[in-house]
Amino acid sequence: MTFVPEQSGKNAWLEKVREIVWQTPVVDMHTHLFPRRFGKLSLTGMDDLLTYHYLIAETLRVLPMTYDEYWSLSKERRADLIWQTLFVERTPISEAARGVVTILRRLGLEAKGRSLAELRANWPDRSEAGYTERILDLAGVGQAVMTNDPFDPEEREIWLSSVSTARPGENRFLAALRLDALLNDYGSLPVRLNNWGYRADSVLTEETVAELGRFIKEWTERMRAVYVAVSLPDTFSFPDGSTRSILLERVVLPVCRDMGLPLALMIGVKRGVNPALLEAGDSVGKADIRVVERLCADFPHNKFMVTMLSRENQHELAVTARKFRNLMVFGSWWFLNNPSLVGEITRMRLELLGTSFIPQHSDARILEQVIYKWAHAKEVIAQVLVEKYRDLSEAGWPVSAADIRRDVESLFEGNFWRFKNLKL
Ligand code: RAT
Ligand code: ZN
């Protein structure tokens, strides 16, 4: 993992920090990637990259076509339209559009002036055995944590079949048990759970609670999940007597505690604000930090990894992490994953928390996206670190390369593993 992109400046500090940042393998702690053995769930290549929901939202703002017309097209045709709209008729200046340019460049393809047909034709051979490894190496990602939904019929079948065993080279993918269906839409689950052999009722009886606990434990073990996760709305409150609240308190938190697993809470998403945009239709809302305080205080033997989607929540989240050692702040998530905001948030976290947080995760859905998500994030993180090291040296503490290495290791991988293994 020694890939270091061309130097962008002559600043010696920046060069050193960039070199270390690029040499330190990342644990990409939240992605939506799957290794190839997961078949159709594993997305890769130009058409999947172009039809990423971030780019769909940007295209549909300006495309002279109804939403329905757009959705009725094949994936290839949608990709054509996105390329034409954002890369031919306009300058690909947004973060997600620039990301495609970064990927193409790192794969040795010049984007400007090329037709999409040409780019598709010149794409490196994806059937090659080492392709996935090569992409992870280009991004400097050592391991990527997937998002694994035990309620998704397609994914479930794969885990239950022998195909779920990692093939050589695929052990760089780790699992995370995602419980959105349980915690955000329990009503639809009892019938399915009964069919799968769990005695779960729509009323949360003692037996149901025990059976749901058994379900989570079994799936966590089957997947060898490194944590349990859920995304939550901006209106998330706890405790509030809701089904979600009861399930959290009686099922999810006890199982996580008993198994020593962190619970990742991704708070602040407003699903389906514009349902016509389908997967591109979710938005953001400011959430109530008191919920995080309450959970950390009332469940001191549970570990919480928390990211919040709204910019307005970032400062209070960092302050809350100062108060609770069972809280690990992570990532500049989704609409925050833009250089201006990653810079601002990382700077503030370093000032309030030192190096005791996880600065970024990629949220990549398409394999090659790890290239741009990490290239862009690493540039910003390196620049912020340089600023901070310079300030510290001026204050009278000379910073060595060994110091920088130790810090970057903590930020990119050590904090994740130490928190996961923390005993409370
Ligand atoms: O960032 C994204 O791609 C979002 O669509 C979501 O996947 C979000 O990150 C989530 O995990 O819910
Ligand atoms: Zn995600």
Side-chain angles (χ1 to χ4, degrees), residues 397-412:
W397 185 280
V399 178
S400 68
D403 295 332
I404 302 173
R405 241 176 241 114
R406 183 185 52 197
D407 293 347
V408 174
E409 187 276 339
S410 291
L411 293 167
F412 282 1

PDB file of all heavy atoms in Angstrom, residues 397-412:
ATOM      1  N   TRP A 397       6.349  22.514  20.724  1.00  0.00           N
ATOM      2  CA  TRP A 397       6.378  21.039  20.754  1.00  0.00           C
ATOM      3  C   TRP A 397       6.715  20.540  19.347  1.00  0.00           C
ATOM      4  O   TRP A 397       5.828  20.358  18.515  1.00  0.00           O
ATOM      5  CB  TRP A 397       5.010  20.511  21.193  1.00  0.00           C
ATOM      6  CG  TRP A 397       4.962  19.024  21.384  1.00  0.00           C
ATOM      7  CD1 TRP A 397       4.829  18.063  20.425  1.00  0.00           C
ATOM      8  CD2 TRP A 397       5.034  18.313  22.619  1.00  0.00           C
ATOM      9  NE1 TRP A 397       4.822  16.818  20.968  1.00  0.00           N
ATOM     10  CE2 TRP A 397       4.937  16.933  22.329  1.00  0.00           C
ATOM     11  CE3 TRP A 397       5.168  18.716  23.966  1.00  0.00           C
ATOM     12  CZ2 TRP A 397       4.976  15.953  23.319  1.00  0.00           C
ATOM     13  CZ3 TRP A 397       5.197  17.728  24.937  1.00  0.00           C
ATOM     14  CH2 TRP A 397       5.104  16.371  24.619  1.00  0.00           C
ATOM     15  N   PRO A 398       7.998  20.330  19.073  1.00  0.00           N
ATOM     16  CA  PRO A 398       8.364  19.878  17.724  1.00  0.00           C
ATOM     17  C   PRO A 398       7.712  18.523  17.420  1.00  0.00           C
ATOM     18  O   PRO A 398       7.734  17.638  18.276  1.00  0.00           O
ATOM     19  CB  PRO A 398       9.892  19.759  17.769  1.00  0.00           C
ATOM     20  CG  PRO A 398      10.320  20.234  19.105  1.00  0.00           C
ATOM     21  CD  PRO A 398       9.135  20.403  19.993  1.00  0.00           C
ATOM     22  N   VAL A 399       7.143  18.409  16.255  1.00  0.00           N
ATOM     23  CA  VAL A 399       6.420  17.181  15.908  1.00  0.00           C
ATOM     24  C   VAL A 399       7.281  16.326  14.983  1.00  0.00           C
ATOM     25  O   VAL A 399       7.785  16.813  13.971  1.00  0.00           O
ATOM     26  CB  VAL A 399       5.085  17.542  15.209  1.00  0.00           C
ATOM     27  CG1 VAL A 399       4.338  16.280  14.801  1.00  0.00           C
ATOM     28  CG2 VAL A 399       4.227  18.407  16.124  1.00  0.00           C
ATOM     29  N   SER A 400       7.459  15.059  15.354  1.00  0.00           N
ATOM     30  CA  SER A 400       8.314  14.182  14.540  1.00  0.00           C
ATOM     31  C   SER A 400       7.463  13.338  13.592  1.00  0.00           C
ATOM     32  O   SER A 400       6.240  13.219  13.771  1.00  0.00           O
ATOM     33  CB  SER A 400       9.097  13.245  15.456  1.00  0.00           C
ATOM     34  OG  SER A 400       8.192  12.339  16.069  1.00  0.00           O
ATOM     35  N   ALA A 401       8.157  12.707  12.643  1.00  0.00           N
ATOM     36  CA  ALA A 401       7.448  11.817  11.711  1.00  0.00           C
ATOM     37  C   ALA A 401       6.798  10.664  12.489  1.00  0.00           C
ATOM     38  O   ALA A 401       5.698  10.223  12.156  1.00  0.00           O
ATOM     39  CB  ALA A 401       8.419  11.272  10.668  1.00  0.00           C
ATOM     40  N   ALA A 402       7.468  10.210  13.560  1.00  0.00           N
ATOM     41  CA  ALA A 402       6.888   9.113  14.358  1.00  0.00           C
ATOM     42  C   ALA A 402       5.585   9.565  15.034  1.00  0.00           C
ATOM     43  O   ALA A 402       4.615   8.798  15.121  1.00  0.00           O
ATOM     44  CB  ALA A 402       7.891   8.637  15.402  1.00  0.00           C
ATOM     45  N   ASP A 403       5.557  10.820  15.501  1.00  0.00           N
ATOM     46  CA  ASP A 403       4.311  11.348  16.094  1.00  0.00           C
ATOM     47  C   ASP A 403       3.190  11.333  15.054  1.00  0.00           C
ATOM     48  O   ASP A 403       2.061  10.931  15.324  1.00  0.00           O
ATOM     49  CB  ASP A 403       4.496  12.812  16.556  1.00  0.00           C
ATOM     50  CG  ASP A 403       5.494  12.959  17.689  1.00  0.00           C
ATOM     51  OD1 ASP A 403       5.652  12.001  18.467  1.00  0.00           O
ATOM     52  OD2 ASP A 403       6.113  14.047  17.794  1.00  0.00           O
ATOM     53  N   ILE A 404       3.531  11.803  13.872  1.00  0.00           N
ATOM     54  CA  ILE A 404       2.502  11.905  12.818  1.00  0.00           C
ATOM     55  C   ILE A 404       1.990  10.507  12.465  1.00  0.00           C
ATOM     56  O   ILE A 404       0.785  10.280  12.344  1.00  0.00           O
ATOM     57  CB  ILE A 404       3.073  12.602  11.558  1.00  0.00           C
ATOM     58  CG1 ILE A 404       3.607  13.991  11.916  1.00  0.00           C
ATOM     59  CG2 ILE A 404       2.022  12.690  10.459  1.00  0.00           C
ATOM     60  CD1 ILE A 404       4.341  14.706  10.785  1.00  0.00           C
ATOM     61  N   ARG A 405       2.932   9.565  12.364  1.00  0.00           N
ATOM     62  CA  ARG A 405       2.542   8.185  12.032  1.00  0.00           C
ATOM     63  C   ARG A 405       1.585   7.620  13.087  1.00  0.00           C
ATOM     64  O   ARG A 405       0.571   7.019  12.773  1.00  0.00           O
ATOM     65  CB  ARG A 405       3.794   7.306  11.946  1.00  0.00           C
ATOM     66  CG  ARG A 405       3.932   6.726  10.589  1.00  0.00           C
ATOM     67  CD  ARG A 405       5.175   5.912  10.357  1.00  0.00           C
ATOM     68  NE  ARG A 405       5.934   6.539   9.301  1.00  0.00           N
ATOM     69  CZ  ARG A 405       7.113   7.107   9.437  1.00  0.00           C
ATOM     70  NH1 ARG A 405       7.719   7.097  10.608  1.00  0.00           N
ATOM     71  NH2 ARG A 405       7.708   7.696   8.421  1.00  0.00           N
ATOM     72  N   ARG A 406       1.922   7.853  14.348  1.00  0.00           N
ATOM     73  CA  ARG A 406       1.071   7.330  15.436  1.00  0.00           C
ATOM     74  C   ARG A 406      -0.330   7.958  15.367  1.00  0.00           C
ATOM     75  O   ARG A 406      -1.344   7.284  15.523  1.00  0.00           O
ATOM     76  CB  ARG A 406       1.730   7.638  16.783  1.00  0.00           C
ATOM     77  CG  ARG A 406       0.976   7.095  17.972  1.00  0.00           C
ATOM     78  CD  ARG A 406       1.601   7.543  19.280  1.00  0.00           C
ATOM     79  NE  ARG A 406       1.788   8.988  19.314  1.00  0.00           N
ATOM     80  CZ  ARG A 406       2.589   9.640  20.165  1.00  0.00           C
ATOM     81  NH1 ARG A 406       3.283   8.956  21.053  1.00  0.00           N
ATOM     82  NH2 ARG A 406       2.690  10.951  20.133  1.00  0.00           N
ATOM     83  N   ASP A 407      -0.382   9.255  15.108  1.00  0.00           N
ATOM     84  CA  ASP A 407      -1.682   9.937  15.049  1.00  0.00           C
ATOM     85  C   ASP A 407      -2.534   9.423  13.896  1.00  0.00           C
ATOM     86  O   ASP A 407      -3.728   9.150  14.045  1.00  0.00           O
ATOM     87  CB  ASP A 407      -1.476  11.453  14.860  1.00  0.00           C
ATOM     88  CG  ASP A 407      -0.822  12.099  16.070  1.00  0.00           C
ATOM     89  OD1 ASP A 407      -0.757  11.452  17.131  1.00  0.00           O
ATOM     90  OD2 ASP A 407      -0.360  13.261  15.941  1.00  0.00           O
ATOM     91  N   VAL A 408      -1.903   9.329  12.735  1.00  0.00           N
ATOM     92  CA  VAL A 408      -2.672   8.920  11.551  1.00  0.00           C
ATOM     93  C   VAL A 408      -3.133   7.471  11.701  1.00  0.00           C
ATOM     94  O   VAL A 408      -4.265   7.123  11.345  1.00  0.00           O
ATOM     95  CB  VAL A 408      -1.845   9.144  10.256  1.00  0.00           C
ATOM     96  CG1 VAL A 408      -2.577   8.588   9.042  1.00  0.00           C
ATOM     97  CG2 VAL A 408      -1.543  10.629  10.076  1.00  0.00           C
ATOM     98  N   GLU A 409      -2.284   6.658  12.291  1.00  0.00           N
ATOM     99  CA  GLU A 409      -2.684   5.262  12.525  1.00  0.00           C
ATOM    100  C   GLU A 409      -3.928   5.214  13.430  1.00  0.00           C
ATOM    101  O   GLU A 409      -4.864   4.464  13.181  1.00  0.00           O
ATOM    102  CB  GLU A 409      -1.505   4.490  13.153  1.00  0.00           C
ATOM    103  CG  GLU A 409      -1.708   2.986  13.297  1.00  0.00           C
ATOM    104  CD  GLU A 409      -2.471   2.568  14.549  1.00  0.00           C
ATOM    105  OE1 GLU A 409      -2.537   3.353  15.534  1.00  0.00           O
ATOM    106  OE2 GLU A 409      -3.050   1.472  14.536  1.00  0.00           O
ATOM    107  N   SER A 410      -3.929   6.058  14.465  1.00  0.00           N
ATOM    108  CA  SER A 410      -5.105   6.083  15.358  1.00  0.00           C
ATOM    109  C   SER A 410      -6.348   6.518  14.596  1.00  0.00           C
ATOM    110  O   SER A 410      -7.406   5.905  14.704  1.00  0.00           O
ATOM    111  CB  SER A 410      -4.894   7.086  16.497  1.00  0.00           C
ATOM    112  OG  SER A 410      -3.907   6.624  17.366  1.00  0.00           O
ATOM    113  N   LEU A 411      -6.206   7.593  13.844  1.00  0.00           N
ATOM    114  CA  LEU A 411      -7.373   8.147  13.154  1.00  0.00           C
ATOM    115  C   LEU A 411      -7.927   7.183  12.105  1.00  0.00           C
ATOM    116  O   LEU A 411      -9.141   7.038  11.960  1.00  0.00           O
ATOM    117  CB  LEU A 411      -7.003   9.472  12.471  1.00  0.00           C
ATOM    118  CG  LEU A 411      -6.666  10.636  13.409  1.00  0.00           C
ATOM    119  CD1 LEU A 411      -6.004  11.778  12.635  1.00  0.00           C
ATOM    120  CD2 LEU A 411      -7.918  11.145  14.133  1.00  0.00           C
ATOM    121  N   PHE A 412      -7.037   6.519  11.376  1.00  0.00           N
ATOM    122  CA  PHE A 412      -7.481   5.721  10.228  1.00  0.00           C
ATOM    123  C   PHE A 412      -7.818   4.275  10.564  1.00  0.00           C
ATOM    124  O   PHE A 412      -8.551   3.633   9.832  1.00  0.00           O
ATOM    125  CB  PHE A 412      -6.427   5.746   9.122  1.00  0.00           C
ATOM    126  CG  PHE A 412      -6.440   7.022   8.310  1.00  0.00           C
ATOM    127  CD1 PHE A 412      -7.326   8.045   8.588  1.00  0.00           C
ATOM    128  CD2 PHE A 412      -5.551   7.191   7.254  1.00  0.00           C
ATOM    129  CE1 PHE A 412      -7.335   9.214   7.846  1.00  0.00           C
ATOM    130  CE2 PHE A 412      -5.549   8.354   6.496  1.00  0.00           C
ATOM    131  CZ  PHE A 412      -6.441   9.372   6.799  1.00  0.00           C
TER     132      PHE A 412
END
